[in-house]
Amino acid sequence: MEIGVVGKPNVGKSTFFSAATLVDVEIANYPFTTINANVGVTYAITEHPCKELGCTPNPQNYEYREGLALIPVKMIDVAGLVPGAHEGRGLGNKFLDDLRMASALIHVIDATGKTDEEGRPTDFHDPVEDIEFLEREIDYWIYGILKKGWEKFAKRIKLQKMKIETAIAEHLSGIGVTENDVWEAMHRLGLPDDPTAWSDEDLLSFASEIRKINKPMIIAANKADAASDEDIKRLKREGEKRGYIVVPTSAAAELTLRKAAKAGFIEYIPGSSDFKILKEMSEKQKKALMLIKERVLDRFGSTGVQEVINKAVFELLKLIPVYPVQDENKLTDQFGNVLPHVFLMKKGSTPRDLAFKVHTDLGKGFLYAINAKTKRRVGEDYELQFNDIIKIVAVTK
């Protein structure tokens, strides 16, 4: 799984990425600072089962802090996008190639409207237009992939009596599209099974639906501390009209807090509404932190960065954390580690799906599972729940 951080140049996209991952990237006040994609690891953060159960975990593939599980997620910061990117303008081709396999997109926009459509400073630009332009660029990018040789491709599907979902999914496999994605997009639009009957308008509508399904997007209304309450309300209202979650964010504030925490000056958990000063610092440093508390944390409840990441993982992608164990009574693996591993599973997944995630042999030999919280046996039709602890019982060679 990979989350892409996208948007036009100069809106704080790389600052958001750096704040989320603590990967040092070039950050500057001019367009196209990012040329080559930056890749790092961020964390989806949620309450750990041990907070409820009173245990102390020994995490192996995640981090544990004060009752919270920090679950690693790959993040990519791609080159800034400008209008006409699907035709190769700016770094468009590179941008679109970099986000091919992203499971979800965080669209960073300048909530103040002080950045024009090309990423240049301006007195006022409507940030709502940025939401629309990114949709359009990705739609036309997918449409371009489909349109190339479509007539010949559609005729072959019809003549060879191929399953249309399979054929189109294979054609779009390079951007991570599945048969289910294709079926759902066709179903939503009421498109016929005969692709030769699809018009150009149908193709573009189909590309748009695929984008919504395969590249779900959340809006990070960045530089929110410099925007008015009315601007933020309008952005949320307009974004929600288009089906988006809009979160006010201050990536610069989050980056400052995380760096201060890393240096040992403060105690700060990403997503928190406050921080604790641990050691002496200069007056200038202290003043900067107090301004962040006053203008960001007290106003919005957090910097918004962690909220965006969490919502992308748990709401957009509909993933749930599940903890496999070998001993359902002690909640341990074979080495005695308490809740050592967590897997992010698609909502609706079953214990057999979890078994395959842990090891192919476990999936193949799956018999049943035990819910460690209830101590009850569950079958392969059981739907996994958020923070379930599951023992897999299987026959293995």
Side-chain angles (χ1 to χ4, degrees):
M1 184 186 65
E2 186 175 286
I3 294 177
V5 182
V6 301
K8 67 186 185 185
N10 207 22
V11 293
K13 188 169 52 62
S14 291
T15 305
F16 185 101
F17 172 82
S18 189
T21 63
L22 279 185
V23 171
D24 288 327
V25 299
E26 187 178 357
I27 299 170
N29 190 32
Y30 57 83
F32 301 121
T33 308
T34 303
I35 295 176
N36 295 312
N38 299 301
V39 179
V41 174
T42 188
Y43 295 88
I45 300 179
T46 185
E47 283 195 354
H48 192 280
C50 277
K51 187 173 182 179
E52 171 194 349
L53 300 173
C55 52
T56 302
N58 308 109
Q60 306 294 308
N61 73 336
Y62 66 98
E63 292 185 24
Y64 176 78
R65 204 182 301 173
E66 296 182 25
L68 298 172
L70 285 69
I71 306 168
V73 176
K74 186 178 178 183
M75 179 174 275
I76 180 168
D77 166 36
V78 300
L81 189 70
V82 296
H86 69 278
E87 297 171 335
R89 281 202 68 230
L91 298 173
N93 291 331
K94 179 160 184 50
F95 168 94
L96 296 165
D97 280 343
D98 285 339
L99 63 77
R100 281 179 178 273
M101 299 311 292
S103 302
L105 304 177
I106 294 171
H107 183 189
V108 182
I109 64 174
D110 182 351
T112 67
K114 299 292 186 183
T115 314
D116 72 10
E117 64 274 6
E118 302 282 346
R120 298 168 301 208
T122 186
D123 289 332
F124 181 75
H125 170 77
D126 187 354
V128 174
E129 291 179 11
D130 295 337
I131 299 174
E132 297 168 344
F133 115 82
L134 189 71
E135 289 177 340
R136 188 167 56 250
E137 291 300 328
I138 297 176
D139 287 352
Y140 273 98
W141 169 55
I142 297 172
Y143 169 77
I145 296 171
L146 284 166
K147 180 62 179 171
K148 191 175 181 180
W150 174 258
E151 288 183 16
K152 186 177 179 181
F153 175 65
K155 284 177 183 175
R156 183 164 62 88
I157 293 173
K158 186 175 181 179
L159 287 171
Q160 296 181 9
K161 297 181 179 178
M162 299 167 68
K163 189 179 177 184
I164 188 170
E165 299 98 308
T166 306
I168 294 178
E170 286 177 359
H171 192 56
L172 294 177
S173 62
I175 59 172
V177 172
T178 66
E179 287 189 38
N180 283 339
D181 295 340
V182 175
W183 182 89
E184 188 174 343
M186 289 177 60
H187 182 71
R188 286 183 186 180
L189 296 169
L191 292 173
D193 287 340
D194 178 4
T196 61
W198 292 18
S199 65
D200 277 358
E201 189 178 323
D202 289 335
L203 265 184
L204 184 56
S205 297
F206 176 76
S208 183
E209 287 302 318
I210 285 290
R211 185 253 309 159
K212 293 173 189 174
I213 295 165
N214 185 255
K215 301 281 184 272
M217 191 154 46
I218 186 170
I219 308 296
N222 197 34
K223 307 181 185 180
D225 47 316
S228 70
D229 289 343
E230 189 50 48
D231 287 339
I232 297 297
K233 284 178 186 175
R234 177 175 173 270
L235 260 178
K236 282 188 170 183
R237 186 170 61 247
E238 293 301 321
E240 285 164 5
K241 276 183 190 176
R242 292 161 173 78
Y244 294 114
I245 300 168
V246 179
V247 180
T249 63
S250 175
E254 180 71 11
L255 183 58
T256 299
L257 290 172
R258 292 206 189 188
K259 284 188 172 181
K262 187 178 180 181
F265 287 108
I266 63 172
E267 182 181 291
Y268 172 70
I269 296 176
S272 298
S273 60
D274 204 352
F275 56 85
K276 180 181 178 183
I277 294 176
L278 297 178
K279 64 181 183 181
E280 285 297 316
M281 60 185 83
S282 70
E283 280 302 312
K284 185 178 179 181
Q285 290 171 321
K286 193 171 182 179
K287 185 179 179 182
L289 290 174
M290 290 303 106
L291 280 174
I292 288 173
K293 176 167 171 51
E294 176 188 335
R295 296 179 181 177
V296 180
L297 301 182
D298 291 347
R299 182 180 172 193
F300 298 110
S302 76
T303 68
V305 172
Q306 189 60 52
E307 184 182 349
V308 169
I309 296 163
N310 286 351
K311 286 182 180 294
V313 172
F314 300 129
E315 293 185 31
L316 278 192
L317 294 174
K318 297 179 173 60
L319 296 174
I320 59 171
V322 180
Y323 297 79
V325 293
Q326 190 172 80
D327 187 323
E328 72 275 23
N329 296 305
K330 296 180 180 178
L331 308 181
T332 57
D333 65 5
Q334 59 183 320
F335 305 109
N337 295 306
V338 176
L339 299 180
H341 296 100
V342 63
F343 290 94
L344 288 172
M345 304 295 297
K346 198 76 175 174
K347 196 173 180 182
S349 295
T350 66
R352 184 187 286 274
D353 296 325
L354 175 64
F356 271 110
K357 194 97 167 178
V358 175
H359 198 285
T360 304
D361 289 345
L362 274 183
K364 288 179 178 177
F366 178 87
L367 296 175
Y368 62 91
I370 296 173
N371 184 323
K373 289 183 179 178
T374 64
K375 301 299 186 285
R376 290 180 179 174
R377 174 172 166 165
V378 294
E380 62 179 300
D381 58 344
Y382 170 76
E383 187 174 312
L384 295 171
Q385 301 298 305
F386 202 97
N387 272 354
D388 261 353
I389 302 171
I390 300 291
K391 175 183 177 175
I392 304 294
V393 178
V395 176
T396 56
K397 294 179 181 179

